[in-house]
């Protein structure tokens, strides 16, 4: 195993340990902690030794799956715990992504200024952009919630879908805001200097020396660690929230609104709070997406890609269960990525025989996702990991 290969394996250890803690989440911490660490090291070195050729692909796959996991957690905060039929995920996702881009990029200057326009560019650190993206998405969510949150089910879905399209069209047509229909490029990636030569000036020598074996194209390994840590923080905060009295009040409003109101729960306020919380989490997902893509534009935030795919993830994993939301994101993203190879192969095979049919092979991916959704609704409506009905840690009998 070469030094660079060994370093890549070490970068996989932390995400694998966090995965282990999620897998063993039913265990007590005194067992869960060592089990997760052993699981992480075994899994990372097993991948590095037995399937080294797919490590790069696995990293890029995992980064997008983690970003979708954050999106799915945001939707779970709205739908899973409070029953909001939000079809406007793409709108909050776009707000988070463009906010991050505007905060961390510098204003275009020189020749670039003739081709690119943006409202402002603060060249701020990544964490500032991340916080700003969550706050602004939450503010937009609060403003959206005021006029439409009294609507129910299908009417709320139509309203949120329309608002998301309005947000996308604003970013498409208002060039002064974020370069309009042209891509907003050059979004900095956090800590990217670690893999550059010369590296970061603040990096201690005992770290800079071994890391010099890696190349800038290996940056995905570090970004996987970053997004996984943020996913862990979001998951932990949501778990604490949902197991608190506030979280139980959200479920009460979801299950029986009139009874919750009769018991003195502020129904309207709780509905707004859960909607805003979900918007904040979705905005954070957008903030993670923008630096990974480096270049974004309005076409990245269409409903099929950024709304309905997320719904399938949550429904498959288990609505009302945060672990299910993460599991669903990984499974559906695997299906989506895997079917890409199938459609490409079919397109190549049919290009000479039936070119008209071959050009439509890309739509087969949506058919696969649609069939998956139909299977969920028919055979497993509660998802792979159903909602836990008892969430208090003071009750031993969990079901």
């Amino acid at each position: 195993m070469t030094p660079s290969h060994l370093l890549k394996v070490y970068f996989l250890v932390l995400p694998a340990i966090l995965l282990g803690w999620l897998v063993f989440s039913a265990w007590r911490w005194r067992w869960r902690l060592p089990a997760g660490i052993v699981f992480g090291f075994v899994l990372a070195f097993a991948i590095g030794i037995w399937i080294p050729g797919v490590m790069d692909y696995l990293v890029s796959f995992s980064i997008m799956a983690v970003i979708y996991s954050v999106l799915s957690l945001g939707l779970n905060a709205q739908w899973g715990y409070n029953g909001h039929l939000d079809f406007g995920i793409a709108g909050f996702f776009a707000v988070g992504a463009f906010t991050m881009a505007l905060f961390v990029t510098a204003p275009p200057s020189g020749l670039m200024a003739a081709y690119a326009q943006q409202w402002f560019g603060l060249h701020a650190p990544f964490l500032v952009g991340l916080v700003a993206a969550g706050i602004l998405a939450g503010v937009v969510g609060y403003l959206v919630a005021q006029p439409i949150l009294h609507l129910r089910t299908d009417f709320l879905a139509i309203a949120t879908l329309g608002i998301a399209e309005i947000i996308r069209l604003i970013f498409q047509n208002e060039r002064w805001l974020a370069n309009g229909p042209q891509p907003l490029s050059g979004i900095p990636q956090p800590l990217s200097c670690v893999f550059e030569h010369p590296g970061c000036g603040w990096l201690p020598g005992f770290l800079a020396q071994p890391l010099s074996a890696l190349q800038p194209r290996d940056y995905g390994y570090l970004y996987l660690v970053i997004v996984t840590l943020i996913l862990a923080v979001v998951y932990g905060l949501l778990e604490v929230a949902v197991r608190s009295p506030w979280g139980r009040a959200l479920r009460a409003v979801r299950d029986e609104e009139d009874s919750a109101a009769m018991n003195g729960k502020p129904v309207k306020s709780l509905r707004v709070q859960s909607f805003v919380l979900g918007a904040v989490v979705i905005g954070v997902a957008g903030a993670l997406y923008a630096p990974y893509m480096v270049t974004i534009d309005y076409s990245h935030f269409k409903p099929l890609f950024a709304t309905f795919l997320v719904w399938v993830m949550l429904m498959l994993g288990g609505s009302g269960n945060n672990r299910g939301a993460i599991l669903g994101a990984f499974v559906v993203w695997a299906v989506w990525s895997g079917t890409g190879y199938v459609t490409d192969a079919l397109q190549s095979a049919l290009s000479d025989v039936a070119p008209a049919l071959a050009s439509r092979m890309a739509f087969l991916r949506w058919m696969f996702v649609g069939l998956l959704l139909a299977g969920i609704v028919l055979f497993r409506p509660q998802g792979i990991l159903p909602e836990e009905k008892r969430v208090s840690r003071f009750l031993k009998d969990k079901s």
Side-chain angles (χ1 to χ4, degrees):
M1 191 178 287
T2 62
S4 63
H5 189 72
L6 186 60
L7 278 172
K8 291 178 182 178
V9 172
Y10 282 135
F11 274 106
L12 294 181
V13 168
L14 181 60
I17 288 175
L18 294 174
L19 174 63
W21 286 341
L22 195 62
V23 170
F24 302 119
S25 59
W27 294 15
R28 292 182 179 275
W29 269 106
R30 61 182 175 181
W31 300 113
R32 185 178 176 188
L33 193 63
I37 293 173
V38 171
F39 177 87
F41 275 94
V42 170
L43 179 62
F45 277 89
I47 293 172
I49 293 171
W50 288 327
I51 48 175
V54 302
M55 281 178 59
D56 290 346
Y57 173 76
L58 192 61
V59 167
S60 62
F61 166 84
S62 300
I63 290 172
M64 278 306 300
V66 169
I67 292 172
Y68 267 114
S69 297
V70 180
L71 277 172
S72 189
L73 286 174
L75 177 61
N76 197 32
Q78 294 177 331
W79 166 255
Y81 294 123
N82 206 225
H84 296 301
L85 195 60
D86 180 12
F87 279 4
I89 302 168
F92 302 120
F93 189 44
V95 169
F98 279 106
T99 302
M100 167 62 87
L102 291 172
F103 267 74
V104 300
T105 55
S109 59
L111 187 60
M112 193 65 187
Y115 300 97
Q117 297 180 26
Q118 61 185 77
W119 184 18
F120 61 87
L122 300 182
H123 205 198
F126 171 77
L127 285 178
V128 175
L130 187 73
V131 173
I135 291 174
L136 195 60
V139 170
V140 173
Y142 178 78
L143 295 176
V144 167
Q146 298 305 315
I148 69 167
L149 221 53
H150 64 282
L151 301 174
R152 292 294 183 269
T153 59
D154 47 352
F155 295 103
L156 178 61
I158 294 169
T160 50
L161 180 63
I163 289 170
E165 280 298 284
I166 290 171
I167 292 173
R168 187 174 68 85
L169 291 173
I170 288 174
F171 282 114
Q172 177 181 352
N173 294 299
E174 299 298 326
R175 193 173 182 198
W176 60 271
L177 180 59
N179 211 23
Q182 302 301 318
L184 189 59
S185 59
I187 301 170
Q189 296 180 311
L191 302 178
S192 60
C193 63
V194 169
F195 294 157
E196 293 173 353
H197 306 290
C200 306
W202 49 264
L203 199 63
F206 68 91
L207 285 178
Q209 180 63 27
L211 289 174
S212 63
L214 296 175
Q215 301 297 318
R217 65 173 178 273
D218 300 320
Y219 172 75
Y221 288 85
L222 177 58
Y223 199 64
L224 176 61
V225 174
I226 293 172
V227 295
T228 307
L229 285 173
I230 293 172
L231 171 63
V233 171
V234 171
Y235 170 80
L237 292 175
L238 288 178
E239 278 291 290
V240 170
V242 76
R243 294 177 189 280
S244 68
W246 179 78
R248 291 193 287 275
L250 288 185
R251 294 185 184 207
V253 171
R254 177 200 63 185
D255 294 337
E256 191 56 60
E257 190 172 314
D258 291 338
S259 296
M262 290 173 62
N263 282 280
K265 303 299 180 187
V267 172
K268 182 181 177 182
S269 175
L270 287 169
R271 286 175 57 80
V272 172
Q273 290 168 24
S274 72
F275 192 82
V276 171
L277 174 63
V280 170
V281 175
I282 294 169
V284 168
L288 298 177
Y289 180 74
Y292 179 60
M293 299 305 292
V294 179
T295 297
I296 59 172
D297 61 47
Y298 69 93
S299 66
H300 291 215
F301 307 101
K302 293 182 177 177
L304 283 177
F305 182 72
T307 293
F308 296 113
L309 205 57
V310 183
W311 268 100
V312 178
M313 291 170 174
L314 183 61
M315 299 308 292
L316 174 67
S319 175
N321 188 318
N322 287 324
R323 286 185 294 125
I326 296 173
L327 176 63
F330 273 81
V331 172
V332 173
W333 186 243
V335 172
W336 178 259
S337 303
T339 52
Y341 294 105
V342 176
T343 55
D344 288 346
L346 288 173
Q347 192 168 9
S348 301
L350 295 173
S351 58
D352 295 330
V353 182
L357 185 60
S359 64
R360 292 177 170 81
M361 284 298 103
F363 296 107
L364 270 180
R365 300 177 82 181
W366 288 110
M367 189 187 77
F368 289 138
V369 173
L371 290 173
L372 182 62
L373 180 59
I376 298 165
V377 173
L378 288 174
F379 302 110
R380 188 77 180 176
Q382 71 273 33
I384 299 173
L385 298 177
E387 178 183 1
E388 295 179 47
K389 295 300 181 184
R390 294 184 181 181
V391 296
S392 173
R393 298 188 186 280
F394 296 101
L395 295 174
K396 295 181 180 179
D397 181 21
K398 294 181 179 180
S399 58

